[in-house]
Amino acid sequence: MEGFTLLLFCLALLNSIAAATVRETISTLQSINDDQIIVSPGKTYALGFFSPGNSKNRYVGIWYNEIPTQTVVWVANRDNPLADSSGVLKLNETGALVLLNHNKSVVWSSNASKPARYPVAKLLDSGNLVVQDGNDTSETKDLLWQSFDYPGDTILPGQKFGRNLVTGLNRFMSSWNSTDDPSQGEYSYQIDISGYPQLVLREGAFKRYRFGSWNGIQFSGAPQLKQNNFTRFSFVSDEEELYFRFEQTNKFVFHRMQLSTDGYILGDYWNTEEKVWSLHGKIPVDDCDYYDKCGAYASCNINNVPPCNCLDGFVSKTDDIYGGCVRRTSLSCHGDGFLKLSGLKLPDTERSWFNRSISLEDCRTLCMNNCSCTAYAALDVSKGPTGCLLWFDDLVDIRDFTDVDEDIYIRVAGTEIEAIEGKQLHKSSIRKPQTVFISCVLFIAILILCLTFIIYRRWKTRQKGGKMKDKLERDASVIYEHEKDDLELPMFEWSTITCATNNFSPDNKLGEGGFGSVYKGILDDGGEIAVKRLSKNSSQGLQEFKNEVMHIAKLQHRNLVRLLGYCIQAEERLLVYEFMANKSLDSFIFDENKSMLLDWPRRSLIINGVARGLLYLHQDSRHRIVHRDLKAGNVLLDSEMNPKISDFGLARSFGGNEIEATTKHVVGTYGYLPPEYIIDGAYSTKSDVFSFGVLILEIVSGKRNKGFCHQDNLLAHVWRLFTEGKCSEIVDATIIDSLNLPEVLRTIHVGLLCVQLSPDDRPNMSSVVLMLSSESELPQPNLPGFFTSTSMAGDSSSSSSYKQYTNNDMTVSIMSAR
Ligand SMILES: *[C@@H]1O[C@H](CO)[C@@H](O)[C@H](O)[C@H]1NC(C)=O
Ligand SMILES: *[C@@H]1O[C@H](CO)[C@@H](O)[C@H](O)[C@H]1NC(C)=O
Ligand SMILES: *[C@@H]1O[C@H](CO)[C@@H](O)[C@H](O)[C@H]1NC(C)=O
Ligand SMILES: *[C@@H]1O[C@H](CO)[C@@H](O)[C@H](O)[C@H]1NC(C)=O
Ligand SMILES: *[C@@H]1O[C@H](CO)[C@@H](O)[C@H](O)[C@H]1NC(C)=O
Ligand SMILES: *[C@@H]1O[C@H](CO)[C@@H](O)[C@H](O)[C@H]1NC(C)=O
Ligand SMILES: *[C@@H]1O[C@H](CO)[C@@H](O)[C@H](O)[C@H]1NC(C)=O
Ligand SMILES: *[C@@H]1O[C@H](CO)[C@@H](O)[C@H](O)[C@H]1NC(C)=O
């Protein structure tokens, strides 16, 4: 009995010795069974049969010999598992490694690049399984095949990741399907060679993340991937080869790069003390890393909410913030210029063109001369910019990176360059006393010119006046007859009106409107009305009358004044409105005594009411209507201090997709008009947004936006205090007691967003309404478009005078600097 036990013991011992059979090579005479492994000379890696995770399938693979938790770095038969442990790995006579199953059919085999006479397979200390010809001990002599050429989900130090352009070999990574299944999963990672080579991680066929291209120092899409004390990166790109490789500087620490089953590139190392894999980094890092997050011509900045911002010179294509951007000014090819942008991940180079021996200057010329070239950049910046990279498509997949040391030059229309560079100079320019002086002098000069012009026009108009009058009256009846039927607006008898207003008695006069006087009237039934009597000698009267009747008749909103009817009698044209007991907003906020009647909560309600009224005009009414003359004087207050927008004499409706128009005849009220309207006559709903912003700031501060030089300009004043963080000094002293400070600050902030210089920067009214009512974070406002002249009317100026007009001292300082 004892002898039998001993025998069993001996058999078991023999068996375990067999299982532990450790060899260093496989020759044609040998084979490896399921229970055998081969180990590299330094004992770092082992090759043999294994089952991943919970799987029962058997695979041939390579793992770290010394790491207790089996970590597989390469799998031979990843797509063809063995169902049992009967597999055999052999090296056949022609030098192919073949894996056979139980009935001797080939499950997997390696390719020998050429037939071999004395083939031998070895596992090297780098983790590379090689087949060589001959028994030469030098490692890579007569290499027939190597596992490093066929990576799975892991790249080891020294392993080339990339392409051999001569043989066409593409060494790429592909994720495991799951931890139990090493078959090719849905993620792959490779060097793309269409266009300028770049590293791309894909999910199926779709790009998920771009490392971008190597610029001599780093990958433009992964600045976080840095040389450190343990690893060194290199990127080789020549006629024959194109590959990325990292080297391990400390041979006692194992490093690897892995493509995880859920699509992340992991860089980790074996922490010998804690006996775990520790992460160096994981990519994609944040939302902005995902491919084309923001669409064309937009840059993603993870610190912004929302993260997408159009590049300078571009504007949102749609309301969708991820929908990309389009040019503000379309290109004219030869009149274009290039805008230098820094600190960006360079756009997708899939359809780019490049040449390593062209200088950056020649690159610019090449791009300039080809009208479809959208941008250019240098290829290598490690020894100053060299090489030339050209883009011909929309620029996509851009993000902000502060530590990317590379510039890109983007093609934009010439006029944009001036506008943008002007704006950038504003930001950086420092005001000096002389420039303030010079700017004031310049302003006064410009002002005098304007006034002279206006007086000249007035004089001209008067000259024409007599002839015009007859014509106008004829037109009036024609237009009127034509439109009478579809107005469905009650017509008042002349006698009714004269009676109600006591024959337009001065006692009944409420005020002087834009194009005539307004009178209070009381109808027979006691109802109160306001009657606007359009001035007879205004050459614009007819048009305004028609305009107002047409627009307002169809509008119904509680923040718009209701038009009750009209009256035409000979030369007289009257509009009849609902009566607003508290007259206009300006009579309160700018009046020392009455301003106290409007405490902060009331002012806040007024601001919100006006915003909703304006939103209705811009969006919700049947036509998109731009009011063009929003101001405190045109916001009326009813008996309960509810605000209603009035005076639609200048309103203009936009049909269909029209969003912007220009006029040669700039009308409106000084102080409320945005620069682009004054200068170029361009108006859109964003012009009203500007006026609304001015109105907000006036309501909060109790001051009019008027004055000559910046000291008196409300927008400049608010902007200065805002940037200095002294917002509370902006607020009207009479409402200090009723203040809800966070709400006021928010309102001022929104006001500044509305008065930004560029119309595209200004939010639309729906955003404004949202911003006012929510507590979401607000974007930082850019410099406001302050304009300081006293009156506006006249033909549009050429855009070259834009800079002289748009701003205060700071703009002018640019001019004087040139
Ligand atoms: C060795 O294996 C390869 C791949 O299976 C095969 O093409 C080749 O014919 C085999 N050579 C011999 C001598 O069996
Ligand atoms: C191998 O064996 C399986 C069953 O064990 C059989 O279905 C299959 O046809 C065999 N293959 C060959 C090539 O003989
Ligand atoms: C073997 O080589 C052929 C052509 O050279 C290639 O298509 C195939 O993918 C290679 N197979 C392996 C396992 O390397
Ligand atoms: C090495 O290969 C040669 C033939 O190239 C052979 O004659 C020699 O015996 C081999 N030596 C060993 C140690 O395998
Ligand atoms: C991954 O495994 C699942 C389940 O076995 C399978 O349905 C799927 O086709 C596999 N995917 C790939 C890419 O092999
Ligand atoms: C790298 O090594 C240097 C010198 O040995 C050391 O001062 C530095 O802290 C190390 N850096 C890191 C990131 O370990
Ligand atoms: C790159 O430019 C150089 C100099 O202009 C030229 O000689 C070379 O042929 C170009 N190379 C390619 C690939 O176009
Ligand atoms: C501009 O470049 C594109 C892309 O390289 C090319 O197809 C086109 O012919 C070029 N046009 C001109 C005018 O050179």
Side-chain angles (χ1 to χ4, degrees), residues 434-496:
Q434 302 108 288
T435 57
V436 173
F437 175 73
I438 293 168
S439 56
C440 282
V441 169
L442 266 170
F443 249 113
I444 290 163
I446 291 162
L447 206 77
I448 289 168
L449 269 173
C450 279
L451 283 175
T452 318
F453 185 72
I454 291 159
I455 290 165
Y456 169 75
R457 274 188 61 102
R458 287 249 167 94
W459 178 74
K460 275 282 262 228
T461 322
R462 244 178 237 154
Q463 293 262 307
K464 279 196 240 159
K467 263 180 271 160
M468 289 279 284
K469 216 168 163 188
D470 292 350
K471 188 173 171 292
L472 273 173
E473 253 129 55
R474 261 181 284 122
D475 285 356
S477 51
V478 173
I479 293 168
Y480 189 65
E481 286 305 320
H482 182 68
E483 264 149 15
K484 188 154 63 173
D485 300 336
D486 38 78
L487 282 179
E488 288 175 19
L489 198 65
M491 183 160 122
F492 284 77
E493 292 293 328
W494 174 254
S495 55
T496 315

Side-chain angles (χ1 to χ4, degrees), residues 347-406:
D348 194 353
T349 56
E350 182 174 337
R351 279 182 289 276
S352 63
W353 178 93
F354 68 100
N355 184 324
R356 293 180 204 285
S357 46
I358 291 178
S359 71
L360 197 60
E361 292 77 56
D362 293 346
C363 194
R364 183 189 181 93
T365 314
L366 276 177
C367 191
M368 184 55 102
N369 292 342
N370 186 325
C371 297
S372 48
C373 176
T374 49
Y376 73 93
L379 291 180
D380 193 317
V381 294
S382 57
K383 305 172 213 71
T386 58
C388 177
L389 175 54
L390 302 180
W391 281 266
F392 294 97
D393 271 327
D394 285 348
L395 307 175
V396 300
D397 192 33
I398 306 167
R399 69 169 293 173
D400 291 7
F401 267 138
T402 43
D403 43 2
V404 166
D405 217 5
E406 194 166 12

